[in-house]
Amino acid sequence: MSKLTHFDEQGQAHMVDVGAKDHTHRVAVTSGHITMEPDTLKLIEEGGHKKGDVLGIARVAGIMAAKKTPDLVPLCHPLALTRIAIDFQIDREASRVHCQARVETRGQTGVEMEALCATQVALLTIYDMCKAVDRGMVIGEVRLEEKAGGKSGHWKRSND
């Protein structure tokens, strides 16, 4: 089993030294969803929410979150992100909104945390904008789907 990399030999937290790593194209894709009442989903879909374009605002919030990840997660490196894409898919049958974030950089460390933050904050923004009409919404299954680049290479979640 690998050791946790964010602790030094004395067990103290530290930021991992990535200085000797190669600059490579790094990609991370994450996903999650928010489940809600069908009437809430209909408000989002039809743009009938009094606060405006829920998914448009959530998309911008997700992009902002990816860029702010080192401010939120203490041991993350600040990165020059080259691409952030947030996509939403409406699932009427399950009464949910699926979110997928794709984050890319050319650097010495991966962008998994940036993509995970983007997904979480995009979904939290949907919750925030709709909580006045549906406090029972549930955010779930936020997870890494795929990562590429760096020494560990390509990883993709198997269909589960």
Side-chain angles (χ1 to χ4, degrees), residues 55 63 70 78 81 90 114-117 128 142 154:
L55 298 182
I63 291 167
L81 303 178
I90 304 274
E114 289 75 7
L116 286 164
C117 281
D128 180 51
V142 175
H154 186 251

Side-chain angles (χ1 to χ4, degrees), residues 5-43:
T5 59
H6 286 90
F7 296 98
D8 64 18
E9 297 302 318
Q10 292 76 40
Q12 302 295 314
H14 73 107
M15 183 181 271
V16 175
D17 181 2
V18 298
K21 289 184 171 185
D22 290 333
H23 284 261
T24 62
H25 180 227
R26 314 276 184 143
V27 179
V29 178
T30 57
S31 68
H33 64 259
I34 184 167
T35 305
M36 62 196 65
E37 293 294 328
D39 288 344
T40 307
L41 186 62
K42 189 174 180 182
L43 278 175

Side-chain angles (χ1 to χ4, degrees), residues 18-149:
V18 298
K21 289 184 171 185
D22 290 333
H23 284 261
T24 62
H25 180 227
R26 314 276 184 143
V27 179
V29 178
T30 57
S31 68
H33 64 259
I34 184 167
T35 305
M36 62 196 65
E37 293 294 328
D39 288 344
T40 307
L41 186 62
K42 189 174 180 182
L43 278 175
I44 291 171
E45 244 186 315
E46 295 175 352
H49 198 288
K50 69 180 182 177
K51 290 187 178 181
D53 178 8
V54 173
L55 298 182
I57 293 167
R59 181 173 289 108
V60 172
I63 291 167
M64 291 173 63
K67 295 183 341 182
K68 291 289 192 180
T69 300
D71 295 335
L72 301 169
V73 182
L75 301 179
C76 281
H77 292 83
L79 301 174
L81 303 178
T82 58
R83 179 176 187 226
I84 306 167
I86 311 290
D87 293 309
F88 296 106
Q89 185 175 31
I90 304 274
D91 181 349
R92 286 183 205 91
E93 190 172 308
S95 194
R96 32 174 87 142
V97 176
H98 293 273
C99 176
Q100 183 179 76
R102 180 183 180 96
V103 178
E104 300 183 32
T105 193
R106 179 151 180 81
Q108 296 168 292
T109 190
V111 288
E112 294 97 317
M113 295 308 298
E114 289 75 7
L116 286 164
C117 281
T119 296
Q120 286 279 44
V121 170
L123 294 170
L124 284 169
T125 300
I126 293 170
Y127 185 96
D128 180 51
M129 293 188 70
C130 297
K131 69 183 183 285
V133 296
D134 186 355
R135 294 198 188 274
M137 292 176 284
V138 176
I139 294 171
E141 296 185 14
V142 175
R143 62 196 196 170
L144 179 66
E145 297 292 345
E146 185 175 3
K147 66 140 316 264

